[in-house]
């Protein structure tokens, strides 16, 4: 399998005039979490649906676990797990009934399907809710059940399409924990997300996708380096204060402070975040500068985007 | 990692697994009814209400051509209506599964994809048997007295045969409509389609043009044929299609299946586009 769990070359997918994928390339190393990062409409779901054999590709070539998705879909399906953007479990059945049904449909047979369901309920911390209807589950529980269903055969490759979209922060943390545990067990994960933070937390490598094309492929640190990592940001009350603030900020940054005259904002990249913040806050106070706001800002997907493409994500552009 | 042996290589044939997959989908469908028995009550609610309404409220005012008791005339029509509305249930489940991603999960698994649709069909037929049994017991309680024997079984078979044909319309519509709410709207289409038939009123009592449409409505043939087989008054008109009700009750479902099965399959295949 040459060390790669996923290999996609020049994938094409057209919907009428729209090119959902337009020469998309991706390689995912075995045993890693790979993030596929991009704004709404970038083509993430389309890529995942092609790799998980749900839709046919119009051009290019893709292998998953060393198998060709177009020519050996059945074999691919026996080696993958898929958790879509929307939890694809049966809402009427109980959690246990769901896992047992999927287990039987994975051809485990009744007895092993029951044992495996019990095991997964335990692993995903759903034992207490096992015999309740899924319709009564919280969003986080549902997503965990969905993950459990994807893990029935302990797949070689797991596709997670925006697994935490729509979840509250606590449930999001629970899903992250589950994903980490899976990777510790040896599963390769391809995770799509719109949040740089999520990709940063989970993935060891990130591919940025825009308009159906991979526009960057790097480690999280590498990507953050592109936009200069965390930034300190000071907002002042009057324009005349800006030069003084720039001088203070310059002392803590290894880059160049940037000043935004209209928004009365000064910002600069910082390495030692807390030390820089304390230093700047104290100095500004000592010098009696009137500060409206001061804080640290993590680079967002929008920053990465702006840097890579020169344009904002479409959501921003529309706003 | 897992204490359970997860190997799935097996000596069993593809046909074995296709049948096993189908049965597992059927089990799922039946478990739904077990967990939500009230759904059967909903599905039977309208026909039973109609029986009460038409049988008792309008019963004395309704005429059966050639004479006879209106309740006796109505009952087989109610069975047909229950079967006819069944396609809405099929469509509702299918649209729910496809929009909520359940069908996608099935399709991402190494199971037979034909089982997704076949399993739905078998489930619907089993449920149809249960519905017919409940309807018939209600009818018996209200004084309906059909002929027993082979004719009765043949009538039961014709009702299921109609339901079978309607599965494909249901699957096709379920994959066509955009969301479960829209599937609810199908009732508004189904209701007039069942009214313009011989279910409630004999076509020859309608205005000519309407009576002609009603007579050629596929469900009218099943209604007329089962009335005949149950030995209850029919008031059969003298148009060709009414004279050959038994034949047409067999033929209409074939035509419907020939039309809608390929459409449903095409729609299902389209999911992978
Ligand atoms: N079935 C479809 N029919 C038409 N257009 C589609 C279809 N699926 C996706 N698209 C389009 O392809 C582009 C990529 O969509 P998608 O892969 O869902 O993006 P993402 O998951 O990154 O938000 C979007 O512009 C979307 O509108
Ligand atoms: Mg998406």
């Amino acid at each position: 399998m040459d060390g790669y769990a996923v290999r996609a070359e020049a994938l094409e997918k057209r919907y009428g005039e729209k090119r959902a994928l337009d020469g998309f390339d991706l390689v995912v190393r075995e045993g890693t979490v790979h993030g596929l990062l991009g704004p709404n409409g970038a083509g993430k779901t389309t890529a995942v649906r092609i790799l998980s054999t749900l839709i046919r590709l119009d051009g290019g070539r893709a292998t998953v676990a060393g198998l060709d998705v177009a020519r050996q879909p059945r074999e691919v399906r026996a080696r993958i797990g898929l958790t879509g953007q929307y939890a694809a479990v049966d809402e009427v059945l109980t959690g246990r009934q769901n896992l047992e049904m999927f287990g039987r449909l994975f051809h485990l047979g009744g007895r092993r399907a029951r044992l495996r369901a019990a095991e997964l309920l335990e692993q995903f911390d759903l034992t207490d809710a096992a015999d309740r209807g899924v319709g009564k589950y919280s969003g986080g529980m549902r997503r965990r059940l969905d993950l459990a269903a994807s893990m029935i055969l302990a797949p070689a490759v797991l596709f997670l399409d925006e697994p935490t979209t729509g979840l509250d922060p606590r449930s999001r943390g629970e899903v992250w924990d589950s994903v980490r545990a899976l990777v510790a067990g040896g599963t390769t994960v391809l995770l799509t997300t719109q949040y740089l933070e999520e990709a940063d937390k989970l993935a060891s490598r990130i591919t940025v996708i825009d308009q159906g094309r991979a526009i960057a492929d790097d480690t999280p640190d590498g990507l953050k380096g592109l936009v200069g990592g965390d930034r300190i940001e000071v907002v002042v009350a009057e324009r005349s204060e800006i030069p003084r603030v720039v001088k203070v900020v310059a002392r803590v940054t290894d880059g160049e402070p940037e000043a935004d005259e209209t928004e009365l904002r000064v910002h600069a990249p910082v390495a030692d975040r807390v030390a820089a913040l304390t230093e700047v806050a104290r100095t500004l106070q000592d010098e009696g500068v009137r500060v409206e706001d001061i804080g640290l800002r993590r680079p967002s997907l929008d920053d990465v985007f702006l840097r890579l493409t020169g344009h904002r994500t479409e959501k921003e552009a529309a706003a | 990692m897992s204490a359970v042996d997860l190997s799935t290589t097996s000596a069993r044939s593809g046909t074995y697994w296709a049948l096993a997959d189908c049965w597992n989908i059927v089990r799922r469908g039946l478990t739904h009814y077990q967990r939500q028995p009230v759904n059967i009550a909903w599905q039977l609610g309208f026909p039973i209400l109609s029986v009460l309404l038409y049988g008792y409220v309008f019963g004395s005012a309704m005429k059966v051509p050639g004479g006879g008791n209106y309740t006796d005339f109505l009952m087989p029509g109610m069975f047909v209506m229950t079967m006819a509305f069944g396609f809405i249930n099929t469509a509702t489940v299918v649209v729910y599964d496809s929009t909520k991603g359940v069908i996608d999960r099935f399709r991402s698994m190494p199971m037979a994809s034909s089982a997704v649709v076949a399993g739905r069909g078998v489930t619907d037929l089993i449920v149809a048997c249960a519905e017919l049994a409940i309807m018939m017991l209600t009818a018996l309680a209200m004084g309906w007295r059909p002929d027993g024997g082979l004719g009765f079984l043949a009538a039961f078979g014709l009702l299921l045969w109609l339901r079978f044909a309607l599965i494909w319309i249901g699957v096709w519509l379920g994959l066509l409509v955009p969301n479960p709410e829209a599937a609810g709207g199908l009732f508004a289409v189904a209701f007039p389609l069942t009214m313009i038939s011989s279910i409630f009123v004999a076509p020859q009592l309608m205005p000519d043009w309407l009576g002609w449409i009603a007579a050629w409505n596929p469900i009218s043939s099943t209604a007329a044929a089962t009335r005949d087989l149950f030995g209850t008054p029919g008031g059969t008109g003298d148009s060709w299609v009414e004279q050959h009700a038994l034949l047409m009750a067999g033929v209409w479902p074939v035509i419907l299946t020939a039309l809608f099965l390929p459409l449903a399959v095409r729609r299902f295949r389209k999911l992978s586009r």
Side-chain angles (χ1 to χ4, degrees):
Chain A
M1 220 163 88
D2 70 9
Y4 290 103
V6 177
R7 249 177 195 292
E9 281 162 39
L11 294 189
E12 301 272 343
K13 183 71 191 178
R14 287 180 295 273
Y15 290 107
E17 286 296 288
K18 171 87 204 171
R19 290 169 181 275
L21 290 182
D22 189 10
F24 175 70
D25 298 311
L26 177 73
V27 288
V28 176
R29 274 200 170 281
E30 251 176 79
T32 64
V33 179
H34 193 107
L36 183 56
L37 177 70
N40 218 347
K44 302 182 296 296
T45 298
T46 306
V48 166
R49 288 172 71 81
I50 285 178
L51 295 173
S52 55
T53 76
L54 287 181
I55 52 174
R56 282 190 288 272
L57 40 74
D58 294 330
R61 211 178 86 85
T63 59
V64 170
L67 298 158
D68 191 295
V69 294
R71 269 173 289 157
Q72 299 159 286
R74 197 92 175 223
E75 288 82 355
V76 169
R77 285 176 203 148
R79 287 166 181 80
I80 60 168
L82 170 67
T83 292
Q85 206 162 339
Y86 305 99
V89 283
D90 187 314
E91 309 226 338
V92 180
L93 302 183
T94 66
R96 190 189 305 281
Q97 286 172 333
N98 262 290
L99 294 181
E100 289 182 0
M101 168 184 68
F102 287 124
R104 286 192 305 268
L105 289 171
F106 271 121
H107 302 166
L108 280 179
R111 198 185 62 88
R112 287 191 296 158
R114 267 194 308 283
L115 290 173
R116 183 63 175 146
E119 195 175 53
L120 286 167
L121 287 165
E122 179 81 42
Q123 186 186 336
F124 286 88
D125 201 16
L126 288 165
T127 307
D128 290 341
D131 298 308
R132 254 187 280 153
V134 173
K136 298 197 183 74
Y137 279 24
S138 70
M141 289 162 71
R142 211 174 290 202
R143 212 60 65 96
R144 292 206 312 273
L145 181 67
D146 202 20
L147 272 177
S150 316
M151 291 306 295
I152 288 175
L153 284 195
V157 186
L158 178 62
F159 297 102
L160 301 178
D161 191 12
E162 299 198 23
T164 64
T165 296
L167 293 187
D168 58 59
R170 210 187 101 221
S171 311
R172 181 169 293 181
E174 290 170 1
V175 170
W176 286 350
D177 288 342
S178 301
V179 172
R180 288 198 191 95
L182 294 179
V183 186
T187 302
T188 306
V189 177
L190 177 64
L191 165 111
T192 81
T193 180
Q194 301 192 34
Y195 310 112
L196 181 60
E197 187 202 356
E198 180 162 88
D200 186 16
K201 276 223 160 69
L202 296 172
S204 56
R205 206 165 174 89
I206 297 172
T207 298
V208 182
I209 178 173
D210 182 38
Q211 295 176 6
R213 235 179 310 219
I215 55 170
D217 183 272
D218 209 334
T219 60
D221 284 341
L223 278 183
K224 278 187 294 179
L226 272 180
V227 290
D230 288 353
R231 301 181 84 85
I232 189 165
E233 189 173 271
V234 181
V235 181
V236 291
E238 276 171 42
R239 182 175 301 193
S240 58
E241 305 277 32
I242 289 182
R244 277 211 284 169
V245 175
V246 167
K247 242 196 283 169
V248 174
V249 170
R251 274 188 247 156
V252 298
T253 182
D254 30 7
E256 279 290 304
E258 286 174 43
D260 185 332
E261 303 258 327
T262 53
E263 289 180 24
L264 307 179
R265 210 159 54 100
V266 176
H267 55 105
V270 288
D272 192 346
R273 308 164 55 232
V274 178
L277 182 62
T278 328
E279 163 87 17
V280 170
R282 197 180 26 191
T283 318
L284 288 177
Q285 197 178 25
D286 289 351
E287 297 191 4
V289 177
R290 283 199 294 141
V291 172
E292 288 279 306
D293 195 12
I294 182 166
L296 290 164
R297 199 165 64 82
R298 293 176 170 271
S300 66
L301 175 56
D302 294 324
D303 297 318
V304 176
F305 245 78
L306 190 60
R307 188 55 56 107
L308 288 171
T309 65
H311 68 84
R312 293 233 160 239
T313 60
E314 267 165 44
K315 201 169 36 186
E316 288 261 313
Chain B
M1 195 172 102
S2 168
V4 184
D5 169 21
L6 298 177
S7 57
T8 54
T9 42
S10 97
R12 294 211 165 98
S13 69
T15 318
Y16 171 88
W17 283 120
L19 290 174
D21 291 343
C22 178
W23 167 239
N24 278 312
I25 299 290
V26 173
R27 242 173 106 163
R28 162 182 184 243
L30 296 180
T31 312
H32 277 193
Y33 284 102
Q34 184 205 332
R35 289 188 56 78
Q36 302 186 320
V38 75
N39 278 4
I40 289 251
W42 276 120
Q43 278 163 230
L44 289 171
F46 190 75
I48 289 183
L49 203 73
S50 302
V51 167
L52 298 174
L53 208 66
Y54 283 85
Y56 288 135
V57 182
F58 305 139
S60 50
M62 298 292 241
K63 279 197 299 267
V64 180
N69 182 333
Y70 180 65
T71 309
D72 282 344
F73 172 85
L74 182 63
M75 289 309 169
M78 288 299 109
F79 306 151
V80 173
M81 185 168 82
T82 311
M83 295 300 100
F85 281 154
F87 85 89
I88 300 176
N89 305 325
T90 310
T92 306
V93 180
V94 171
V95 70
Y96 194 86
D97 281 354
S98 69
T99 52
K100 298 279 169 169
V102 180
I103 289 189
D104 276 353
R105 178 175 290 290
F106 287 146
R107 293 198 313 121
S108 78
M109 295 169 53
M111 60 182 280
S113 53
S114 63
V116 179
V117 176
R120 184 71 246 151
V122 176
T123 310
D124 287 343
L125 287 180
I126 294 173
V127 171
C129 286
E131 287 177 337
L132 283 177
I134 296 172
M135 289 291 295
M136 285 176 179
L137 288 174
T138 313
L140 285 171
M142 288 177 65
W144 175 63
R145 292 292 173 265
D147 293 347
L150 273 182
F152 184 92
L153 284 180
F156 202 98
L158 280 180
L159 289 165
L160 287 180
W161 182 224
L162 174 68
R163 181 67 185 87
F164 171 83
L166 294 175
I167 288 168
W168 311 115
I169 300 188
V171 172
W172 177 64
L173 286 172
L175 294 172
L176 198 68
V177 298
N179 52 50
E181 292 70 42
L186 292 175
F187 194 77
V189 183
F191 187 57
L193 285 180
T194 50
M195 290 298 283
I196 306 170
S197 72
S198 69
I199 284 183
F200 295 104
V201 182
Q204 68 260 47
L205 299 181
M206 301 178 186
D208 276 354
W209 61 274
L210 196 63
W212 188 86
I213 299 175
W216 281 92
N217 186 335
I219 65 175
S220 297
S221 297
T222 308
T226 50
R227 275 181 191 126
D228 196 33
L229 292 164
F230 286 133
T232 44
T236 307
D238 32 51
S239 70
W240 184 89
V241 66
E242 289 170 285
Q243 288 298 318
H244 296 82
L246 194 60
L247 171 74
M248 290 311 287
V251 169
W252 275 125
V254 176
I255 297 176
L256 291 176
T257 304
L259 244 115
F260 288 97
L261 177 61
L263 283 175
V265 169
R266 209 177 67 175
R267 202 75 212 172
F268 191 78
R269 293 239 170 93
K270 225 175 160 179
L271 291 177
S272 46
R273 232 176 266 157

